[in-house]
Amino acid sequence: MTSHKLEKFARMANQIGDFYATQPPERAAEGVASHIRKFWTPKMIAETIAALDAGAVALNDTSARGFAVLKQQLTNAG
């Protein structure tokens, strides 16, 4: 994945996190995860999770928690 693409995904994820940040942390994380599942392709999700695991991208707290929820859900599903 190109760094430009990764930066774009991080920026989009952080915007989603900013939207949900006013909610309680657990609800906000679920909101981010739900939004990502609905509107991002599986490839976008996988690339972003891989970049997070590799430490190649940093997200705001709400987005990071949302991706942690999403990663756990994907792990449990498959």
Side-chain angles (χ1 to χ4, degrees):
M1 167 181 358
T2 66
S3 64
H4 177 71
K5 187 177 183 183
L6 182 56
E7 290 170 12
K8 182 178 178 182
F9 290 171
R11 186 172 51 255
M12 290 189 312
N14 283 330
Q15 289 173 336
I16 296 164
D18 288 344
F19 176 81
Y20 287 101
T22 60
Q23 298 181 10
E26 187 175 309
R27 188 171 180 188
E30 288 290 339
V32 170
S34 176
H35 182 95
I36 297 293
R37 274 193 318 274
K38 287 179 186 175
F39 298 107
W40 286 30
T41 66
K43 183 178 179 184
M44 290 170 67
I45 294 168
E47 289 177 345
T48 304
I49 289 173
L52 286 166
D53 288 347
V57 66
L59 299 178
N60 63 38
D61 289 341
T62 305
S63 296
R65 285 192 302 271
F67 266 92
V69 167
L70 184 58
K71 183 177 177 181
Q72 184 64 42
Q73 291 170 344
L74 292 172
T75 299
N76 291 342

